Amino acid sequence: NAGVMQNPRHLVRRRGQEARLRCSPMKGHSHVYWYRQLPEEGLKFMVYLQKENIIDESGMPKERFSAEFPKEGPSILRIQQVVRGDSAAYFCASSLGTGNSPLHFGNGTRLTVT
Amino acid sequence: GESVGLHLPTLSVQEGDNSIINCAYSNSASDYFIWYKQESGKGPQFIIDIRSNMDKRQGQRVTVLLNKTVKHLSLQIAATQPGDSAVYFCADLPGPGTALIFGKGTTLSVSS
């Protein structure tokens, strides 16, 4: 049973380009979460999605960042016009979403903006 | 705002010792807590969870203690091994339909 799959593992973008990060949840999971982690720091919540719906985007910057989780296919975190401060590890997690169930994380995408 | 924090950023122990990692949380409404382990270059890995109607839960070599009175959570690792070296995060769930809130982490170093 495959876990949460994220790709690419590493992504290098120049300032001003777009970054697209993909996440396929665990089989049977319909809830997806995106977190961001800076070096030596904890994970900061960005956005929580259920199939085709954004449940909570309170941690995601209003500009340049967007997320989707379509009916078919992976969840996408999109960062437009990247800046150096966007360099970080971005982790996706999924859960069953029923009651208190743990989040299962992928191994992240490390974004470097040059 | 709410926050989940850890008391110590680093903890160094000898192989075979017991380790205790502490965490304080601020939201008294939180009713679900999880400990994660993160190794270098990897995502957080689930270790153990506990609900607010419990004060202790045991797993394999790990025990989580919850003290709701002082809003304190701890992770105990018995007979710590070099493979336990990692960063440990506590996380809490503020309520239904919310996402986990993470603390900053404690780096556990185990020497042989």
Side-chain angles (χ1 to χ4, degrees):
Chain A
N1 185 16
V4 177
M5 303 301 292
Q6 290 188 250
N7 68 83
R9 286 299 310 276
H10 300 274
L11 182 62
V12 179
R13 285 286 178 266
R14 286 195 293 271
R15 280 180 298 170
Q17 290 185 318
E18 177 180 288
R20 280 184 177 237
L21 288 62
R22 293 174 183 78
C23 170
S24 295
M26 283 182 69
K27 187 175 181 180
H29 286 190
S30 60
H31 294 243
V32 164
Y33 311 77
W34 285 93
Y35 286 79
R36 169 183 157 131
Q37 186 176 37
L38 293 171
E40 311 300 323
E41 292 193 8
L43 286 86
K44 300 295 185 187
F45 167 73
M46 297 181 72
V47 61
Y48 166 22
L49 309 103
Q50 199 178 353
K51 280 289 187 182
E52 300 184 273
N53 292 307
I54 295 176
I55 307 300
D56 181 355
E57 57 182 346
S58 60
M60 194 163 66
K62 295 285 186 286
E63 297 180 356
R64 301 189 300 108
F65 286 73
S66 62
E68 63 177 14
F69 188 18
K71 187 176 180 181
E72 301 290 339
S75 175
I76 305 289
L77 179 67
R78 182 183 179 200
I79 311 173
Q80 295 178 289
Q81 298 174 319
V82 295
V83 300
R84 289 216 173 108
D86 296 332
S87 296
Y90 292 84
F91 289 96
C92 170
S94 71
S95 76
L96 288 170
T98 53
N100 291 332
S101 53
L103 274 61
H104 297 270
F105 283 83
N107 281 325
T109 292
R110 276 142 191 87
L111 173 65
T112 302
V113 180
T114 61
Chain B
E2 61 205 6
S3 65
V4 178
L6 290 170
H7 293 307
L8 290 175
T10 60
L11 177 64
S12 297
V13 301
Q14 293 283 327
E15 182 178 1
D17 287 351
N18 294 333
S19 303
I20 299 176
I21 301 173
N22 295 305
C23 176
Y25 64 96
S26 60
N27 190 339
S28 56
S30 293
D31 61 0
Y32 181 54
F33 305 86
I34 306 180
W35 281 99
Y36 284 92
K37 171 186 179 184
Q38 187 177 27
E39 296 173 290
S40 181
K42 295 185 178 180
Q45 177 185 359
F46 172 84
I47 301 174
I48 192 168
D49 59 1
I50 188 168
R51 289 168 174 72
S52 59
N53 60 353
M54 303 171 70
D55 53 22
K56 180 178 180 179
R57 190 164 187 223
Q58 288 184 290
Q60 188 175 16
R61 284 202 306 119
V62 295
T63 300
V64 56
L65 299 177
L66 174 62
N67 185 331
K68 295 181 286 294
T69 302
V70 295
K71 291 186 280 190
H72 183 268
L73 192 69
S74 69
L75 177 71
Q76 300 177 0
I77 305 173
T80 314
Q81 302 168 0
D84 294 327
S85 295
V87 181
Y88 289 81
F89 294 97
C90 64
D92 80 313
L93 195 69
T98 63
L100 286 176
I101 304 297
F102 281 78
K104 285 191 175 179
T106 289
T107 300
L108 176 64
S109 298
V110 183
S111 52
S112 303

